Amino acid sequence: MKRIYLITLAVAMIGGLAVSSATAQQRNSSEVNVSPQSYKDFRISVGGGYAFRLGKVQKTGDAKVDDVSKQLKHGFTVDADAQYFFKEGWGLGLNVNYCSSPASGEDLDLQFIDGTRRVNKYKESQNMLFVGPSFVGRNESPKFLLVSSFAIGPIFYMDNINMDGIDGSMNATTFGYNAGLAGEYKLNDKTGLGLKLSYTMGSINSIKSGGQTVKLDKPISVSNLMATVFISFRTW
């Protein structure tokens, strides 16, 4: 009888140790699987390209004046992003883009408050600067990276004019937003080259000129559709 008790006790002890070991292994395995991966990834991109001014062109009936307005629809842009990814699929960042549209004309009959005036040589440059924090998403493969972004911030509008050698300027600030989609090819572990399509939306209702603020009869669009080629640098 005593021998049976000893055998039963030994089996119970061995079984208990086995169960304890299995439980410990399962707990350790669970801890490894549940432990979240840390993402501390930075990405910076800088690019430049073409900007198309959105909004309607005001037609005056004068072919030369209307041609100047059409020229202002086309320009160039410089775009930059600085981004930090908290997770594999999303992060926060800052977007800055600058758009400039130049135009020129000769022998223009321009309308002013005091009437029509002939301008022999006319030059104008409309410039828009957007700066805003952005929410960023990413999706990638071993060779390609796709980044989407949405930003909200101020748009600074600056209009520089030269009429027969006399300079003038107008400016305004409004609130707008920017959305973009960038696809890049990974040249190596840290550098990429790609194409970004984006647009900035906004409009102004008043403008400052000569220290005075003038209320506009109709809002002016300061929106742009942009296509840029960029180079990027990342830490992952």
Side-chain angles (χ1 to χ4, degrees):
M1 182 68 68
K2 184 180 295 185
R3 181 179 299 177
I4 295 176
Y5 287 153
L6 290 175
I7 294 173
T8 303
L9 181 60
V11 171
M13 291 179 64
I14 293 173
L17 291 174
V19 172
S20 177
S21 176
T23 303
Q25 290 179 1
Q26 184 177 3
R27 183 171 59 250
N28 292 336
S29 177
S30 298
E31 289 176 355
V32 172
N33 293 333
V34 173
S35 179
Q37 184 175 353
S38 177
Y39 291 93
K40 296 181 180 179
D41 299 335
F42 288 95
R43 177 180 178 271
I44 297 174
S45 68
V46 180
Y50 172 73
F52 178 75
R53 181 79 171 274
L54 301 176
K56 295 182 179 179
V57 176
Q58 295 182 355
K59 296 183 179 180
T60 63
D62 187 318
K64 291 184 178 180
V65 176
D66 290 345
D67 180 65
V68 171
S69 298
K70 291 179 181 179
Q71 292 180 45
L72 292 171
K73 296 281 287 183
H74 308 277
F76 68 90
T77 182
V78 177
D79 183 274
D81 284 298
Q83 299 158 345
Y84 178 83
F85 291 90
F86 296 91
K87 297 293 183 180
E88 182 179 8
W90 66 271
L92 299 177
L94 179 70
N95 175 257
V96 179
N97 64 75
Y98 174 80
C99 298
S100 180
S101 301
S104 62
E106 295 182 353
D107 300 326
L108 304 178
D109 293 324
L110 300 180
Q111 296 291 332
F112 294 90
I113 297 177
D114 55 354
T116 302
R117 186 187 310 173
R118 169 60 65 95
V119 177
N120 296 319
K121 291 186 178 181
Y122 181 88
K123 292 183 179 180
E124 184 176 3
S125 176
Q126 294 185 354
N127 313 287
M128 284 138 284
L129 174 65
F130 172 85
V131 181
S134 59
F135 178 82
V136 189
R138 69 175 174 179
N139 192 354
E140 64 181 314
S141 67
K143 283 295 184 179
F144 295 95
L145 174 65
L146 186 66
V147 178
S148 60
S149 62
F150 181 83
I152 299 176
I155 301 175
F156 303 95
Y157 173 78
M158 298 152 283
D159 191 352
N160 300 317
I161 300 173
N162 182 286
M163 294 184 294
D164 291 334
I166 301 176
D167 291 325
S169 63
M170 297 178 288
N171 62 84
T173 302
T174 189
F175 191 77
Y177 63 90
N178 171 272
L181 182 64
E184 69 178 70
Y185 174 76
K186 298 177 181 178
L187 298 176
N188 53 48
D189 291 341
K190 302 298 180 182
T191 310
L193 184 67
L195 175 67
K196 180 179 180 180
L197 300 177
S198 61
Y199 64 87
T200 299
M201 301 292 290
S203 62
I204 55 176
N205 298 308
S206 62
I207 196 165
K208 294 181 180 179
S209 178
Q212 297 181 344
T213 300
V214 179
K215 184 73 174 180
L216 300 173
D217 295 333
K218 295 181 179 180
I220 296 178
S221 171
V222 290
S223 305
N224 284 278
L225 179 64
M226 298 164 282
T228 58
V229 176
F230 66 87
I231 185 171
S232 69
F233 306 93
R234 60 187 186 278
T235 60
W236 75 92

